[in-house]
Amino acid sequence: MPDKSEKQVNSDALMQWLNTPLGRYVRAWEHRQVSDLVANVFGYHAVQLGMPHWDLLRGNRIGNKFYTSVQHCSETVRSNLLITEHEALPFAAQSVDLLILPHVLECSAAPHQILREVDRVLRPDGTVVMTGFSPFSLWGLRERLPGMAPHLPIAPQHYISLARINDWLELLSFELQSAQDGCFVPLCLQRKWLKRWRFMDRFGSKVWWPIPGGSYVLKAVKRVNVMTLVGLEWSHQKTPAGRAAVAASQRTLTKH
């Protein structure tokens, strides 16, 4: 995982890379998936962590929306932008209904702490949506080849697989509702080659395709275990003395 000094470098490089032809291709696919996943999420407060210039909350109808960044962004002017560390969010416990994390865990020195913060601030049955690069895709494998110039903004050893994130979420009592991978074209830097290989996205979305796509989007819901008392059938307990005591107390309160 990146250390404290690396995480800002990763975040800055990712923001710049999203404006390249390959970055716009990834961005377009992730935006479509996230928009579909959050369209019917309701509540009072929605928050996007990171990438404030990329509005992934646009397709959601929650009224109070906030965006965060670890630094001031000259290209992003928002009245609802908060500058904060994602490992220590400035929100009250159980106060947020929807959280979106675009490649946030990969750029953090403490991804476990971010997930603990996600668990803390989300309401019961709150929704979290995350995106990331797959370490087991053709992209991830290509980036690991020695001597090859990197095409992606984050080193492959920082990627977190869907399976690992799912394990982490299960430990926090989250329920995975959706997981989709995409961006199956080879790593091409030029737009014309990206267009020629776009047919791979149709094949890659089939269930029989053995290799995951370069990017993924997942949606999970926070579940809270509720304790219930068992062993007594309260509706069948006959306590006339208890009812008489309650009636007497009510008469006493009325008199006073």
Side-chain angles (χ1 to χ4, degrees):
M1 294 299 165
D3 59 27
K4 193 83 171 177
S5 61
E6 283 183 296
K7 69 175 184 177
Q8 187 58 55
V9 175
N10 289 340
S11 180
D12 292 344
L14 179 59
M15 291 176 65
Q16 296 176 6
W17 178 83
L18 288 173
N19 291 320
T20 66
L22 183 59
R24 286 193 290 269
Y25 162 67
V26 172
R27 184 173 174 173
W29 180 82
E30 290 185 358
H31 199 116
R32 289 193 300 270
Q33 305 306 313
V34 173
S35 296
D36 289 342
L37 292 175
V38 304
N40 294 319
V41 177
F42 301 97
Y44 297 98
H45 301 96
V47 179
Q48 176 179 321
L49 302 185
M51 305 293 165
H53 62 290
W54 181 13
D55 190 359
L56 289 168
L57 288 171
R58 187 185 309 165
N60 181 264
R61 288 173 282 181
I62 292 177
N64 300 312
K65 298 177 180 178
F66 300 92
Y67 302 80
T68 73
S69 176
V70 296
Q71 65 176 356
H72 289 279
C73 303
S74 58
E75 62 186 75
T76 304
V77 180
R78 294 184 185 275
S79 59
N80 51 356
L81 175 64
L82 304 175
I83 308 302
T84 180
E85 291 288 337
H86 296 148
E87 295 84 359
L89 297 175
F91 305 113
Q94 299 187 5
S95 62
V96 179
D97 300 280
L98 170 63
L99 276 170
I100 299 180
L101 284 71
H103 297 274
V104 171
L105 299 185
E106 298 164 336
C107 297
S108 171
H112 295 90
Q113 177 58 28
I114 291 181
L115 287 182
R116 283 191 286 268
E117 282 293 277
V118 168
D119 180 53
R120 180 184 67 83
V121 304
L122 270 183
R123 296 178 183 271
D125 294 326
T127 300
V128 59
V129 175
M130 291 183 276
T131 72
F133 292 118
S134 173
F136 306 117
S137 65
L138 291 177
W139 292 13
L141 296 175
R142 187 264 178 204
E143 294 290 276
R144 285 186 171 88
L145 292 177
M148 299 291 288
H151 286 354
L152 298 180
I154 302 174
Q157 61 266 26
H158 298 159
Y159 303 163
I160 306 173
S161 68
L162 267 173
R164 179 176 293 183
I165 291 182
N166 190 30
D167 289 341
W168 293 352
L169 291 173
E170 283 185 356
L171 291 175
L172 294 171
S173 298
F174 278 78
E175 177 185 324
L176 184 65
Q177 288 201 331
S178 174
Q180 180 68 38
D181 58 326
C183 301
F184 293 91
V185 305
L187 273 177
C188 305
L189 299 183
Q190 297 181 3
R191 185 178 305 171
K192 64 177 182 179
W193 288 107
L194 287 171
K195 289 182 177 180
R196 291 179 183 180
W197 285 100
R198 287 297 290 268
F199 71 91
M200 291 289 293
D201 285 335
R202 295 193 299 271
F203 291 109
S205 61
K206 306 299 182 182
V207 294
W208 46 262
W209 188 258
I211 303 175
S215 178
Y216 62 79
V217 176
L218 68 86
K219 174 183 178 181
V221 174
K222 177 181 177 180
R223 300 304 187 192
V224 177
N225 295 325
V226 180
M227 294 180 61
T228 57
L229 297 175
V230 297
L232 289 176
E233 297 182 7
W234 298 100
S235 60
H236 294 89
Q237 300 299 315
K238 297 181 179 181
T239 54
R243 287 198 295 270
V246 172
S249 299
Q250 291 175 341
R251 288 195 296 270
T252 304
L253 289 173
T254 304
K255 291 178 180 180
H256 291 281

